[in-house]
Amino acid sequence: AKARGRLETPRSEPPPTGTSENKPLKDRILDFVVISVATILILMGIGSMALSVVGSTTTAQVTGYEQVLFVNNDDSTRNPSRYKLEYQFAVGGERYTGSVTRVFEGGSHMRQTLPVRYLSFWPHVNAEDGGTAGFAGPIMVGLGVVVFVFGVRRISRPRSKNR
């Protein structure tokens, strides 16, 4: 009977903190895409770098080739020996493909086979054996880390409603 006369004080709810439940759908989709792209870049970069260390070698069949000309806006000459070779190889009964574009001197692009290196646990990552790894792997990892950090900071930063 005494409780009837008491007034309940309203409890204050904490202000929204920008969690994913409060974000619009387009922001949540963008966050997902950014993190996914970053993860793919990092994995591809690691795979590319691992190729020279833990890659297995095999001989691939050349399935096609074409001459590649780069159009330059200056007076430099195009190299007529630059070709793109497409190849395929089999691992565990599965066929995998790849390609290499480089300068083949003296008609050496006219070949039936090509030595390739691939990751035994991920044969989609493959390249010509003996080719230089270059900076593609470290650049992909670095770019992936930058995109990942940008994405995580974007997700964790509270949003101001006055924007």
Side-chain angles (χ1 to χ4, degrees):
K2 291 184 180 181
R4 234 186 261 169
R6 280 193 195 159
L7 295 174
E8 291 281 327
T9 58
R11 295 184 183 181
S12 63
E13 294 291 322
T17 60
T19 59
S20 63
E21 299 88 36
N22 298 330
K23 287 185 181 180
L25 180 61
K26 69 175 187 166
D27 285 348
R28 287 186 287 182
I29 290 173
L30 183 62
D31 292 344
F32 175 76
V33 169
V34 167
I35 297 298
S36 298
V37 166
T39 303
I40 289 169
L41 280 170
I42 291 169
L43 288 175
M44 286 178 61
I46 290 171
S48 177
M49 290 187 301
L51 194 58
S52 61
V53 178
V54 296
S56 302
T57 57
T58 190
T59 301
Q61 299 295 317
V62 175
T63 58
Y65 65 90
E66 65 180 281
Q67 188 173 18
V68 178
L69 297 176
F70 291 104
V71 177
N72 298 323
N73 292 334
D74 56 10
D75 292 332
S76 64
T77 59
R78 296 179 194 101
N79 191 334
S81 300
R82 182 175 297 278
Y83 286 89
K84 176 182 179 182
L85 267 63
E86 296 173 347
Y87 58 84
Q88 69 177 359
F89 62 97
V91 176
E94 294 278 330
R95 288 225 170 266
Y96 298 95
T97 61
S99 67
V100 59
T101 302
R102 68 175 177 86
V103 174
F104 290 90
E105 296 296 338
S108 64
H109 67 281
M110 301 290 290
R111 54 174 71 179
Q112 300 295 316
T113 61
L114 185 72
V116 296
R117 186 174 279 274
Y118 66 93
L119 295 178
S120 57
F121 56 89
W122 195 11
H124 292 287
V125 177
N126 59 73
E128 180 182 17
D129 191 21
T132 57
F135 295 110
I139 288 173
M140 281 192 280
V141 169
L143 184 61
V145 168
V146 168
V147 170
F148 188 81
V149 168
F150 168 75
V152 168
R153 288 188 75 205
R154 187 178 184 287
I155 290 171
S156 64
R157 185 177 352 151
R159 305 254 188 271
S160 171
K161 290 192 176 190
N162 295 333
R163 284 192 190 181

